[in-house]
Amino acid sequence: RNEFSLFKIIFSSKWKICTGRHSLWALGSYIPEFTVVLMLDDIQVGYYDSKVNQVMRTSTASDHKAELNLGQEPVNVLRDIYSSMRKRLNLVKHRFNLTIDGVHVQQRVTGCEVLEDGQPALIMFRDGSNGQDADSLLYNMTHFTYAVREGWEIQWDALKKTSFQMLYSNIYLSFCVRTLQHFLECEKHLVMRRVKPRLRFITRQVVSGGQVTCLATDFYPRHINLSLLRDGQPVDEGSVRVGSVLPNGNGLYQVRKMLMVGEKELQRKHNYTCEAFHLSLDNRLRINWRAESSYSHRVHSISPLVVLMLAAVLLLLLVLRRKRRKERSEGVATETQEQVGESEQSDDLVTS
Ligand SMILES: *[C@@H]1O[C@H](CO)[C@@H](O)[C@H](O)[C@H]1NC(C)=O
Ligand SMILES: *[C@@H]1O[C@H](CO)[C@@H](O)[C@H](O)[C@H]1NC(C)=O
Ligand SMILES: *[C@@H]1O[C@H](CO)[C@@H](O)[C@H](O)[C@H]1NC(C)=O
Ligand SMILES: *[C@@H]1O[C@H](CO)[C@@H](O)[C@H](O)[C@H]1NC(C)=O
């Protein structure tokens, strides 16, 4: 239940990447090698290589410039993070009596967000030990929020909290915002890109009628508004299943909305429309689909009995074919045997 979802939170609704806002996150793990991945919005832009003690640019983002030119400061900050994570894991091990040689993981997400005009909006960190949330701190320019997971036994005293607040608001904040601006400048071509969604309908027959799915793929940024209309009228949202926005595997996104259409409704042959609003589009994008007469007719006329009979015939054919093939392979000369048979054949030769 407490499964650690630290690295997912930046893409969840709570930390949703709002259009116009930008964020820089460092995702650190200590197991006990120390690795850090740097995310600008939802794009991996760099990582920390502990072997060379440097912040490297991620190759997918490197088609323009190879160097990151961030200087020594980020390396120092990352080393601070490293030593703080190491200390925390040692504390956790001690407090919870964990064995010295077992594998234990310390994770941290830390970073900042800026508004459209470049003004800082927040800075935060969130820690987890061994897959469990531990504590987090967030400063939103007016308030500090410090939260500890219920049941987490390691409490900070007031002094410790104050020192962390000072560190984050006085030192890390300005550093993070500066680094974020630097990345934004370097990776403009990735972050500011606008890729138009492709829309298509996927329709499927099911027992009770049909399944009409609108699929939007290959768009960037992630934010999209997709809606389904029936004869030009919005479909009741209660009858629509909405998928979450997923990575498409190529740095772009996809999302789907699905409507279950009963047999009766299918026969009425409504005109379904899928409509997308996206930053990449000056206007909305629309596609239409209407149940064809053959489609709804087929859905109507196939009875369970027919399906059963068809299945029985198919099964019979399969059994007959397999039987015939078996007879043939047993009786045929060795050269014409299938690949699978070859190893058996050589085994036979050895034993005989
Ligand atoms: C931790 O381990 C020691 C020695 O094995 C034991 O005496 C102690 O009770 C344990 N403490 C906890 C909190 O489990
Ligand atoms: C900061 O957080 C506090 C407490 O959650 C909230 O009352 C306040 O409006 C927030 N300020 C900004 C600028 O978001
Ligand atoms: C469906 O309706 C849209 C307008 O909402 C119209 O442009 C389109 O031609 C219609 N499609 C069919 C197949 O009737
Ligand atoms: C999507 O809809 C919301 C709420 O209606 C609106 O604020 C937002 O600007 C829309 N986004 C796009 C890309 O049209």
Side-chain angles (χ1 to χ4, degrees):
R1 195 171 57 87
N2 279 321
E3 197 184 314
F4 192 63
S5 54
L6 201 56
F7 290 174
K8 285 185 208 145
I9 58 161
I10 51 171
F11 303 124
S12 74
S13 53
K14 193 171 170 203
W15 298 105
K16 187 154 63 193
I17 297 148
C18 306
T19 44
R21 280 188 167 207
H22 293 288
S23 55
L24 178 66
W25 300 110
L27 281 54
S29 307
Y30 173 66
I31 14 175
E33 308 109 274
F34 177 58
T35 56
V36 180
V37 166
L38 296 175
M39 305 286 295
L40 175 66
D41 294 352
D42 50 355
I43 300 165
Q44 187 187 331
V45 286
Y47 64 97
Y48 172 71
D49 187 337
S50 55
K51 286 193 203 88
V52 291
N53 196 26
Q54 274 197 5
V55 180
M56 313 294 283
R57 185 185 275 243
T58 300
S59 56
T60 52
S62 70
D63 21 310
H64 285 235
K65 295 176 221 118
E67 289 298 310
L68 261 177
N69 294 328
L70 289 171
Q72 189 56 34
E73 207 182 358
V75 176
N76 294 342
V77 170
L78 287 171
R79 293 208 73 81
D80 282 355
I81 293 176
Y82 170 46
S83 74
S84 130
M85 284 172 74
R86 198 178 47 191
K87 273 188 218 148
R88 287 190 141 210
L89 188 59
N90 282 335
L91 185 66
V92 169
K93 278 188 195 169
H94 182 72
R95 193 66 60 92
F96 294 105
N97 244 359
L98 302 174
T99 57
I100 311 291
D101 10 289
V103 176
H104 304 293
V105 189
Q106 185 72 18
Q107 283 165 294
R108 177 174 299 178
V109 172
T110 182
C112 56
E113 255 180 49
V114 295
L115 302 173
E116 206 158 354
D117 59 4
Q119 287 305 305
L122 65 85
I123 184 154
M124 61 85 79
F125 85 79
R126 189 160 163 175
D127 259 22
S129 292
N130 270 347
Q132 299 220 313
D133 270 311
D135 58 357
S136 61
L137 180 131
L138 187 142
Y139 174 52
N140 70 358
M141 305 306 119
T142 56
H143 293 70
F144 281 102
T145 318
Y146 175 72
V148 184
R149 181 175 67 88
E150 212 178 308
W152 189 248
E153 290 171 37
I154 300 171
Q155 298 285 341
W156 282 1
D157 57 21
L159 189 68
K160 185 105 186 175
K161 272 182 222 167
T162 311
S163 75
F164 259 81
Q165 288 180 2
M166 291 298 121
L167 181 67
Y168 273 78
S169 56
N170 292 343
I171 297 171
Y172 286 170
L173 180 61
S174 66
F175 161 75
C176 185
V177 169
R178 246 181 298 131
T179 313
L180 171 52
Q181 303 293 11
H182 178 92
F183 273 123
L184 274 180
E185 195 51 46
C186 296
E187 310 293 1
K188 223 185 290 175
H189 61 288
L190 282 174
V191 176
M192 307 295 184
R193 92 203 126 116
R194 304 269 182 263
V195 186
K196 284 184 191 160
R198 291 190 307 161
L199 284 187
R200 68 176 189 272
F201 269 119
I202 300 170
T203 56
R204 211 161 72 90
Q205 272 178 258
V206 289
V207 181
S208 58
Q211 217 179 54
V212 180
T213 306
C214 175
L215 182 64
T217 54
D218 295 298
F219 54 89
Y220 191 90
R222 179 179 204 279
H223 189 72
I224 195 168
N225 286 344
L226 198 65
S227 42
L228 281 171
L229 312 171
R230 183 193 292 120
D231 297 329
Q233 296 301 311
V235 173
D236 171 28
E237 283 296 322
S239 59
V240 176
R241 258 202 260 159
V242 186
S244 37
V245 179
L246 300 170
N248 217 31
N250 51 0
L252 309 174
Y253 288 98
Q254 59 163 290
V255 70
R256 63 184 65 209
K257 280 204 168 182
M258 196 190 78
L259 179 69
M260 296 299 297
V261 182
E263 243 178 87
K264 282 218 181 81
E265 189 184 324
L266 266 183
Q267 281 164 15
R268 278 188 229 118
K269 301 190 190 80
H270 292 289
N271 179 358
Y272 296 91
T273 306
C274 182
E275 191 173 73
F277 292 90
H278 188 256
L279 269 177
S280 61
L281 302 163
D282 295 330
N283 224 317
R284 64 191 159 194
L285 190 65
R286 288 184 125 174
I287 54 165
N288 297 301
W289 177 77
R290 191 189 279 276
E292 290 155 26
S293 46
S294 61
Y295 180 87
S296 51
H297 178 70
R298 202 165 62 232
V299 171
H300 187 63
S301 65
I302 294 182
S303 73
L305 192 68
V306 175
V307 174
L308 263 178
M309 272 163 65
L310 272 174
V313 170
L314 268 174
L315 199 71
L316 197 70
L317 280 174
L318 255 168
V319 169
L320 277 175
R321 219 179 104 178
R322 188 170 285 184
K323 202 173 160 199
R324 209 179 307 155
R325 191 187 280 176
K326 206 175 166 196
E327 282 166 7
R328 204 171 32 184
S329 72
E330 274 168 357
V332 171
T334 45
E335 292 102 314
T336 55
Q337 276 191 353
E338 291 168 274
Q339 288 247 313
V340 194
E342 268 171 23
S343 60
E344 288 166 14
Q345 179 202 337
S346 49
D347 281 346
D348 284 347
L349 284 177
V350 171
T351 48
S352 66

